[in-house]
Amino acid sequence: MIYTDDIKRKFVEILKAFDRYIQEFNYFDIVYSKKMGYAMLIQTDRKDIVTYLLDTPETMIKMLFYTVFADVIHALTSGTYGAEPISLTKVEAEESRRQISTILEGTPYDKELYLNWFDLWLKKCPDAERGL
């Protein structure tokens, strides 16, 4: 996949900002293919691998937000990943934002930009009318 220099820089910034988070979990990874570009590999409970093509930096950050959401829901519920990550309560949304903020601490990247993306993306969630 051929990216412009600006797009490459955005991908690299996101990967560097989320590097510790990505390395911490063994159920997903982000890989690069010269033919396909970036992809997220997620291992399911059945040991299958689901692949998501990350064709833009925005798609990459959205999928990373999803993994944070899923981890928060997992931690605040019975410990299963059965809940759809986009369906967040106010507490889950606040904890997700806190974790994303923590992930971005100490990075040289624009933390506020990523948090603004998070806030904008969160507003698109179907449960936003629940007071988020």
Side-chain angles (χ1 to χ4, degrees):
M1 175 70 79
I2 298 175
Y3 298 114
T4 66
D5 288 342
D6 186 52
I7 297 296
K8 283 182 200 177
R9 182 187 53 75
K10 288 178 182 177
F11 276 123
V12 169
E13 284 180 3
I14 293 167
L15 288 171
K16 285 183 179 179
F18 281 82
D19 183 62
R20 275 194 315 183
Y21 178 78
I22 293 167
Q23 299 310 317
E24 183 178 332
F25 293 95
N26 61 0
Y27 69 90
F28 81 94
D29 201 0
I30 294 178
V31 297
Y32 178 77
S33 160
K34 288 181 183 178
K35 292 180 184 179
M36 302 293 170
Y38 288 98
M40 179 180 271
L41 308 176
I42 301 175
Q43 184 175 355
T44 68
D45 291 339
R46 296 183 311 256
K47 305 297 182 201
D48 296 328
I49 300 289
V50 178
T51 305
Y52 295 95
L53 185 61
L54 307 175
D55 57 340
T56 66
E58 292 78 12
T59 302
M60 179 183 280
I61 197 101
K62 179 181 98 170
M63 291 303 295
L64 286 164
F65 289 163
Y66 252 44
T67 61
V68 172
F69 294 161
D71 292 336
V72 167
I73 290 170
H74 180 263
L76 296 176
T77 61
S78 63
T80 63
Y81 279 101
E84 183 65 27
I86 199 166
S87 180
L88 297 174
T89 65
K90 185 173 183 175
V91 170
E92 292 164 345
E94 289 170 354
E95 177 60 16
S96 295
R97 191 177 200 287
R98 187 195 67 74
Q99 287 194 21
I100 289 169
S101 182
T102 300
I103 289 166
L104 297 173
E105 280 299 322
T107 66
Y109 308 105
D110 190 348
K111 176 180 172 180
E112 288 306 312
L113 172 68
Y114 294 119
L115 290 175
N116 286 338
W117 281 4
F118 171 83
D119 292 337
L120 289 171
W121 190 77
L122 186 61
K123 287 178 184 178
K124 295 178 184 179
C125 291
D127 293 337
E129 66 275 5
R130 295 187 337 196
L132 301 179

